[in-house]
Amino acid sequence: KQEVTQIPAALSVPEGENLVLNCSFTDSAIYNLQWFRQDPGKGLTSLLLIQSSQREQTSGRLNASLDKSSGRSTLYIAASQPGDSATYLCAVNTGGFKTIFGAGTRLFVKA
Amino acid sequence: GAVVSQHPSRVICKSGTSVKIECRSLDFQATTMFWYRQFPKQSLMLMATSNEGSKATYEQGVEKDKFLINHASLTLSTLTVTSAHPEDSSFYICSARRGRDTGELFFGEGSRLTVL
């Protein structure tokens, strides 16, 4: 059974700091992995999608990596800003319409 | 990027009434949509998979007679909470995957249901 774990559960950093959020999964047989951002009381916004054959994806200040063999993905945020404060979730697509979500990392960037 | 729209964003109803929430994929066809429930400070809980033109697939423990799902077209799925009770108060979110199994997953804005 696929399990997805995100560490840390919460993180508080000063503005401008580079940071890494971690996501691990127990079964490497995945179709893809997706990182989302959720603001309080809102839906999820897709940040990056990494297919199983890819190693990383980049969008602006965000870079996500995928190491399927070790069951790990990281989301790197460069030069963090207060507007980056949100909950970040990773989601593993295992196929068959099944997507397993991590519990999320709550990020707070202090001005 | 692709957009999934959910309506209403907030709804307050009296106990015993029914509430319908709509989920639309605005710029792609979605043969499959997903409905989730989210409790405060918790991750998403998949309730059911909505299949266009056929019955929804419900997760274990989700009452299909309480949470009616209709996926009448390739761009619209609806969730109806029937005979709502205060314990049904929650944040409901829908999603749709663009393309096939490897496509990107997009979410609606969520609907906050409060049952008085």
Side-chain angles (χ1 to χ4, degrees):
Chain A
K1 178 187 172 186
Q2 179 76 267
E3 293 182 2
V4 180
T5 304
Q6 289 189 245
I7 294 173
L11 181 63
S12 180
V13 300
E15 182 177 6
E17 192 163 298
N18 301 325
L19 59 100
V20 175
L21 307 181
N22 297 290
C23 173
S24 61
F25 47 96
T26 55
D27 188 342
S28 61
I30 66 172
Y31 279 38
N32 55 44
L33 184 146
Q34 201 165 346
W35 282 93
F36 295 91
R37 167 188 174 138
Q38 185 176 28
D39 293 286
K42 303 291 185 182
L44 278 66
T45 300
S46 177
L47 297 174
L48 290 164
L49 169 69
I50 312 177
Q51 299 294 349
S52 61
S53 59
Q54 298 174 323
R55 297 284 290 183
E56 66 176 344
Q57 284 288 326
T58 298
S59 176
R61 294 182 294 107
L62 306 179
N63 176 278
S65 68
L66 175 64
D67 184 342
K68 252 192 1 172
S69 60
S70 67
R72 294 178 186 275
S73 176
T74 61
L75 178 66
Y76 175 82
I77 303 177
S80 58
Q81 303 171 357
D84 295 330
S85 299
T87 296
Y88 291 81
L89 295 103
C90 71
V92 172
N93 179 4
T94 60
F97 304 118
K98 286 297 182 184
T99 300
I100 311 299
F101 289 84
T105 294
R106 290 196 306 279
L107 172 65
F108 179 63
V109 181
K110 297 171 286 187
Chain B
V3 178
V4 172
S5 178
Q6 194 172 333
H7 178 81
S9 58
R10 293 179 183 273
V11 56
I12 301 173
C13 69
K14 293 182 179 180
S15 186
T17 61
S18 295
V19 173
K20 180 185 286 188
I21 301 170
E22 293 187 348
C23 180
R24 295 180 183 272
S25 57
L26 298 184
D27 56 358
F28 66 98
Q29 293 183 334
T31 55
T32 304
M33 291 185 175
F34 308 93
W35 286 97
Y36 302 84
R37 184 171 179 175
Q38 188 176 34
F39 294 99
K41 297 188 177 180
Q42 294 189 25
S43 192
L44 303 170
M45 182 190 79
L46 179 66
M47 298 174 65
T49 301
S50 171
N51 305 297
E52 189 267 335
S54 64
K55 292 182 180 179
T57 304
Y58 290 83
E59 296 298 302
Q60 192 171 11
V62 177
E63 299 176 59
K64 59 183 179 182
D65 295 329
K66 156 72 77 177
F67 300 101
L68 298 179
I69 292 172
N70 188 327
H71 196 149
S73 76
L74 288 171
T75 58
L76 174 64
S77 175
T78 60
L79 168 68
T80 301
V81 182
T82 63
S83 186
H85 291 283
E87 57 265 30
D88 299 324
S89 298
S90 192
F91 191 60
Y92 295 88
I93 316 178
C94 69
S95 71
R97 190 174 296 282
R98 181 172 61 187
R100 302 178 71 82
D101 273 358
T102 56
E104 192 170 359
L105 195 62
F106 294 94
F107 281 81
E109 305 93 331
S111 299
R112 170 73 59 191
L113 170 63
T114 302
V115 185
L116 302 177

